[in-house]
Amino acid sequence: MIILGGTNAQLLAKSVARKKKAKYLPLQVNKFPDGETKLRVPAVVKGKDVVIITSMYPNPDNAMIELIFAIKTAKRLGAKKVTIVAPYLAYMRQDKEFHSGECISARVMGELLSVADRVFAIDPHLHRIKKLKDVFKTNAKAITADPVLANYIKKTHKNAILIGPDWESSQWAAEIAKSIGLKSVILKKKRYTPTKVRIQITGDKSVFKGRDVVIVDDIISTGNTMIEPIKQLKKIGAKNITCIGVHGIFVKNALPRLRKLGVKVITTNTIPNKVSKIDVASVIAKVL
Ligand code: R5P
């Protein structure tokens, strides 16, 4: 097996290679003066099991071209099998035509990346599309960071209540809580625009008074899905609030906005950022 690290996941890819005792090389990716992507597979891959690991954030469009170029090149050079691992798989949220004429980006992205023989993605945003293999025309599987998140929460929050800010997040909040014997509460979210959400804490609010709470979601993007419940939980009297995201996108000033509220923020390293401290290398190594 040879592991090739793409622009957005070189440290993670190297760490996976160490765990697999596989050869690691970074993909060589540059730009031509006109902005086109120039890519080189820097290894002899003929007859090899090639794994390309790269996240699709930042610069999701560049990352997609990089993946397509890398897969096609490895195949042309005679690789036996080409697997891609997208720790963060972009475009999954545009999973329907919300307004007439819009591109269903999730499906197009899936078709384009199906030039690979196998695809793995960590906690892709599966909402209206239920399974990753519904967007790919190749062998595709979602893997979850739940075990490493559970491990982190177990070590740091012995008696917290886990909160999922919307029903989709129960696959992280409720599942993790169950696995480590904690209580979880799932909130109700209504999204008006990409930046405007309303979140409702239903049920008995007094359960949060004086308690440590951990809000768990797949993506922290503008941060608003976290900020809304944080404000309410502070009013109710929650003690310490921690926000955990699998994928920390943190657009614009999302991270300072969250920190200003006095909460701890931590994510996995599917997207490298200032708080990406929970390592998913073991989760990836396990499926390869
Ligand atoms: C969408 O439903 C996702 O699960 C996240 O809740 C969402 O992407 C978070 O976005 P934001 O941080 O912009 O509120």
Side-chain angles (χ1 to χ4, degrees), residues 93 125 166 168 189 191 217-219 221-225:
R93 284 177 291 175
H125 188 79
D166 52 28
E168 299 139 271
K189 175 166 97 177
R191 180 173 287 287
D217 203 359
D218 58 343
I219 298 172
S221 182
T222 64
N224 291 334
T225 299

Side-chain angles (χ1 to χ4, degrees), residues 35-224:
E36 289 178 354
T37 295
K38 181 181 184 200
L39 181 139
R40 177 169 176 263
V41 170
V44 177
V45 294
K46 197 171 166 63
K48 296 271 168 49
D49 186 355
V50 176
V51 177
I52 301 162
I53 304 181
T54 201
S55 240
M56 293 178 73
Y57 191 84
N59 304 314
D61 297 356
N62 281 349
M64 191 149 80
I65 289 294
E66 182 175 318
L67 277 168
I68 295 167
F69 283 12
I71 300 161
K72 295 289 279 183
T73 307
K75 290 206 140 192
R76 180 180 59 75
L77 295 172
K80 189 172 75 187
K81 181 161 82 175
V82 180
T83 300
I84 56 168
V85 180
Y88 172 68
L89 183 67
Y91 286 114
M92 290 299 289
R93 284 177 291 175
Q94 182 77 23
D95 57 0
K96 73 167 197 173
E97 191 178 5
F98 292 92
H99 303 102
S100 97
E102 277 177 359
C103 170
I104 306 173
S105 320
R107 296 198 181 277
V108 178
M109 175 277 299
E111 269 178 39
L112 294 173
L113 293 183
S114 290
V115 284
D117 299 302
R118 255 193 335 171
V119 177
F120 291 109
I122 297 185
D123 292 310
H125 188 79
L126 294 169
H127 181 187
R128 281 158 288 260
I129 295 171
K130 299 288 174 230
K131 289 209 158 69
L132 203 55
K133 62 177 196 235
D134 295 342
V135 293
F136 285 91
K137 297 197 175 341
T138 190
N139 188 355
K141 198 163 178 257
I143 47 179
T144 180
D146 274 5
V148 286
L149 296 181
N151 204 18
Y152 171 80
I153 296 169
K154 197 172 160 189
K155 277 194 196 141
T156 53
H157 293 82
K158 301 266 178 270
N159 193 23
I161 301 180
L162 266 56
I163 292 185
D166 52 28
W167 70 265
E168 299 139 271
S169 61
S170 72
Q171 56 192 296
W172 298 282
E175 289 302 316
I176 293 169
K178 205 164 32 166
S179 75
I180 53 177
L182 295 179
K183 181 181 163 58
S184 67
V185 176
I186 305 300
L187 312 183
K188 272 196 176 156
K189 175 166 97 177
K190 187 164 166 51
R191 180 173 287 287
Y192 297 93
T193 68
T195 53
K196 192 168 174 213
V197 291
R198 277 277 169 275
I199 294 193
Q200 208 189 340
I201 304 181
T202 52
D204 180 10
K205 297 189 176 57
S206 68
V207 294
F208 301 111
K209 202 170 162 58
R211 292 292 296 273
D212 285 354
V213 295
V214 181
I215 313 175
V216 190
D217 203 359
D218 58 343
I219 298 172
I220 308 179
S221 182
T222 64
N224 291 334

